Amino acid sequence: MVNVQPGIVATAPKLARYLNFSLEAGSKPGRALTALAELADGNSVVVGLGQSLVRVLGADIPGLRVFPTQFGSGLILPSSSAALWCWLRGDDRGKLLHAGRKIIATVSSAFSLDSVIDGCQYDTGRDLTGYVDGTENP
């Protein structure tokens, strides 16, 4: 079993699709996760497990927590922690669509799809305001 997902630190892909799932009440996610492991190569499909899923599995990952919502004095940011998160990386929108559909079908016995977010690289890695992504935009 490979415990590394090189896609996390690889150069950002031209296109991406992010799938956020919640765990169905009372479901047993083991089979769905085993099937997902066959699709997740850690490069073109990167998988993240949320705290709620890890707890249901009876596991513990030191440092894993729900993303905080309050920062500093009065600053509140929304937090949308998912039980299961999949990052599909590629350069063909159609292939990403079909890969996403396959993943959704694979985990549907235990997970509900909450959101799909499509991403793309713009220009040389800038956001739409012109700043380089990852730098502290004003």
Side-chain angles (χ1 to χ4, degrees):
M1 180 166 136
V2 177
N3 292 320
V4 177
Q5 297 187 85
I8 293 172
V9 295
T11 303
K14 286 288 185 190
L15 300 172
R17 179 163 268 218
Y18 304 92
L19 308 175
N20 294 289
F21 296 91
S22 57
L23 187 60
E24 289 284 344
S27 68
K28 298 191 187 293
R31 277 199 179 136
L33 292 172
T34 299
L36 176 61
E38 296 295 320
L39 303 175
D41 62 4
N43 285 307
S44 61
V45 178
V46 174
V47 173
L49 307 180
Q51 185 183 44
S52 62
L53 175 57
V54 170
R55 283 188 176 164
V56 165
L57 295 171
D60 179 51
I61 299 174
L64 180 64
R65 58 185 168 74
V66 173
F67 191 80
T69 59
Q70 295 185 343
F71 301 88
S73 60
L75 177 62
I76 297 175
L77 298 175
S79 173
S80 56
S81 299
L84 178 66
W85 173 80
C86 297
W87 176 19
L88 287 63
R89 304 165 40 86
D91 59 9
D92 182 288
R93 182 129 347 258
K95 287 181 182 178
L96 289 176
L97 173 81
H98 288 294
R101 286 179 175 174
K102 189 171 187 177
I103 288 170
I104 293 164
T106 298
V107 302
S108 66
S109 64
F111 297 91
S112 294
L113 180 66
D114 293 330
S115 67
V116 176
I117 301 169
D118 288 313
C120 67
Q121 191 178 99
Y122 168 69
D123 194 20
T124 58
R126 298 181 181 275
D127 69 15
L128 296 178
T129 67
Y131 286 91
V132 175
D133 277 344
T135 60
E136 295 180 27
N137 294 349

